[in-house]
Amino acid sequence: MELEDTLFSTSEYVQTHTGNKVSRQSTLCGSQNIILNGKNIIMGESMIRGDLANVRMGQYCILSKQSVIRPPFKKFAKGVAFFPLHVGDHVFIGENTVVNAAVVGSYVYIGKNCVIGRRCILKDCCMIADDTVLPPETVVSPFTIYSGSPGHCVEELPEAMQDLMIDYTKSFYQHYIPDKDVSGVNPINLVTRK
Amino acid sequence: MRATIQNINGYHFALRPTRTKWDPSHVILVGLSEREGHWAKIANGAIVCCECDLQGDITIGSRTVIHPRAKIIALSGPIIIGENNIIEEQVQIINSSETTMVIGNNNVFEVDCHVESKFIGDNNIVESKAFVGRQTSLSNGCVIGAKCEVLVAETLQEGSLFYGAGSDVKRRVQSDKPSAQGAQIEFLSKVLPNYHRIRKPLG
């Protein structure tokens, strides 16, 4: 089953030479600390807080609208610091989700409106259902689905999850194409007041 | 869909979106306003990023950290925020009544929470995506869990704790005080100015 084409307006997105499609309305704080490994999609109004700590995302990751990726905070004996956050390849993060995890593995599907607590560890090939709240420091094992508030393991995933996520993210990326017919939308003629 | 208030170049518009596109015929000019920041009184030592959205009469105490993309909107009445608070990104603190909204010291507002409560004491934690309604008042040491909607019309007892999901919110009272965030505030005060422009404090 092929996904439909999702169009985005060319003026709204920046395409880098490694194939990342980053929306101009997203906020990438501390962009020198953010590494996007290629072919990622960062949709509108999302935020990546690279200013707190390094954020590294793998290939074919999709960050939907209004999501926040934020490195977690850890108190050490000698002080405090924000932990670097590693996101693996082929990860889909739904709309409006707050990801405060320490590590997100590869081939993970995170639903929308989730809250991933501080310092959680999401292993490869897991799935977080919509509207889940994961308490801090939860470890989500591979091939499980977590759901609810607080998140509990509700189901197991088939071993094909890795191939499914590769298929899904690759075809999502390939079908996310610029809409060449849309001219810049300018809702009002502003009379500047200076 | 709700009307959204968009700030474009210092002018405020209310836009009613039809489905996902903004149809020009639906744009209503709500009112012109100065660039925000002129009416916010920021004490010395507060770290308020320029990218946050401050509207209306707001007073911010010292050593409070406000992350970028936070929204503090004093629609009709003023908002007074105490010291040592942490207001993370996408937080919406909205005062839509005409009385003053007072937020005390040492509170933490985590990502994407929505607060309309008129009085918040000290040492409270409002976790991610929580919603605190206008009738509720938080005393000291309360914790509103993630994604909880608290709409009860009462002043919460000290140390009350709300947990659970949207409609199925349970409460209990805890005897421990939530831990102090002084170390995090110090860290943020050093790190945030390196990456963001900070609004200049007045006085």
Side-chain angles (χ1 to χ4, degrees), chain A residues 130-172:
Chain A
D130 295 344
D131 300 317
T132 316
V133 174
L134 284 185
E137 304 182 33
T138 320
V139 176
V140 177
S141 19
F143 298 108
T144 53
I145 302 182
Y146 267 60
S147 148
S149 163
H152 288 300
C153 173
V154 291
E155 241 186 277
E156 301 231 332
L157 285 169
E159 285 156 14
M161 175 63 169
Q162 175 171 342
D163 297 310
L164 290 172
M165 282 309 294
I166 295 180
D167 255 348
Y168 181 59
T169 48
K170 272 195 178 164
S171 68
F172 192 101

Side-chain angles (χ1 to χ4, degrees), chain B residues 25-165:
Chain B
S25 63
H26 285 236
V27 170
I28 309 159
L29 192 65
V30 161
L32 304 176
S33 75
E34 307 267 291
R35 276 186 195 271
E36 57 264 1
H38 283 197
W39 299 328
K41 301 183 252 309
I42 305 177
N44 250 332
I47 309 278
V48 179
C49 296
C50 270
E51 281 152 22
C52 68
D53 194 6
L54 301 179
Q55 293 171 33
D57 183 6
I58 303 173
T59 311
I60 300 178
S62 74
R63 287 196 302 282
T64 296
V65 177
I66 302 190
H67 287 249
R69 284 274 189 95
K71 276 198 185 130
I72 306 185
I73 300 182
L75 280 178
S76 357
I79 298 182
I80 299 179
I81 301 181
E83 307 185 349
N84 278 324
N85 298 303
I86 299 179
I87 300 178
E88 298 189 347
E89 54 263 23
Q90 289 187 359
V91 167
Q92 298 175 48
I93 299 183
I94 298 180
N95 185 11
S96 41
S97 69
E98 280 165 10
T99 50
T100 311
M101 179 182 194
V102 176
I103 298 180
N105 307 325
N106 298 319
N107 299 304
V108 177
F109 296 91
E110 293 193 6
V111 181
D112 207 8
C113 65
H114 189 126
V115 175
E116 291 194 16
S117 155
K118 290 225 276 292
F119 179 79
I120 297 183
D122 301 337
N123 293 314
N124 300 302
I125 297 181
V126 182
E127 290 192 2
S128 294
K129 293 193 186 293
F131 178 83
V132 184
R134 210 201 291 194
Q135 322 274 15
T136 319
S137 302
L138 290 130
S139 54
N140 303 327
C142 303
V143 178
I144 312 285
K147 279 191 139 210
C148 293
E149 290 181 7
V150 179
L151 303 164
V152 285
E154 64 174 272
T155 303
L156 299 181
Q157 189 187 354
E158 286 209 10
S160 29
L161 195 148
F162 282 76
Y163 60 101

Side-chain angles (χ1 to χ4, degrees), chain A residues 3-193:
Chain A
L3 286 173
E4 283 183 0
D5 286 344
T6 316
L7 302 173
F8 62 89
S9 70
T10 350
S11 56
E12 214 190 291
Y13 275 73
V14 174
Q15 293 207 16
T16 70
H17 65 280
T18 45
N20 295 315
K21 296 177 181 166
V22 181
S23 164
R24 287 182 205 274
Q25 290 174 342
S26 62
T27 307
L28 303 181
C29 304
S31 42
Q32 57 264 44
N33 295 333
I34 302 177
I35 299 179
L36 299 175
N37 260 330
K39 305 232 166 68
N40 295 317
I41 300 178
I42 313 281
M43 299 204 211
E45 290 173 17
S46 53
M47 280 188 83
I48 304 187
R49 297 298 306 271
D51 53 338
L52 304 172
N54 294 334
V55 176
R56 175 196 294 254
M57 293 182 77
Q59 293 203 340
Y60 287 104
C61 289
I62 296 160
L63 184 61
S64 305
K65 289 193 290 198
Q66 290 176 334
S67 298
V68 175
I69 294 197
R70 187 177 215 270
F73 178 73
K74 178 125 184 156
K75 280 198 184 124
F76 293 98
K78 287 190 182 170
V80 295
F82 279 86
F83 248 39
L85 170 59
H86 292 291
V87 179
D89 301 329
H90 299 283
V91 173
F92 181 91
I93 300 180
E95 296 183 7
N96 245 317
T97 302
V98 176
V99 178
N100 250 329
V103 175
V104 178
S106 306
Y107 319 110
V108 175
Y109 182 97
I110 301 180
K112 52 185 168 128
N113 295 322
C114 294
V115 176
I116 312 280
R118 285 189 296 279
R119 301 187 289 276
C120 279
I121 300 181
L122 274 65
K123 300 283 192 188
D124 298 344
C125 297
C126 64
M127 178 189 233
I128 312 288
D130 295 344
D131 300 317
T132 316
V133 174
L134 284 185
E137 304 182 33
T138 320
V139 176
V140 177
S141 19
F143 298 108
T144 53
I145 302 182
Y146 267 60
S147 148
S149 163
H152 288 300
C153 173
V154 291
E155 241 186 277
E156 301 231 332
L157 285 169
E159 285 156 14
M161 175 63 169
Q162 175 171 342
D163 297 310
L164 290 172
M165 282 309 294
I166 295 180
D167 255 348
Y168 181 59
T169 48
K170 272 195 178 164
S171 68
F172 192 101
Y173 180 83
Q174 280 157 6
H175 288 280
Y176 201 69
I177 53 183
D179 181 356
K180 296 192 177 95
D181 297 322
V182 172
S183 54
V185 179
N186 212 349
I188 242 190
N189 242 337
L190 290 176
V191 176
T192 46
R193 192 214 218 190

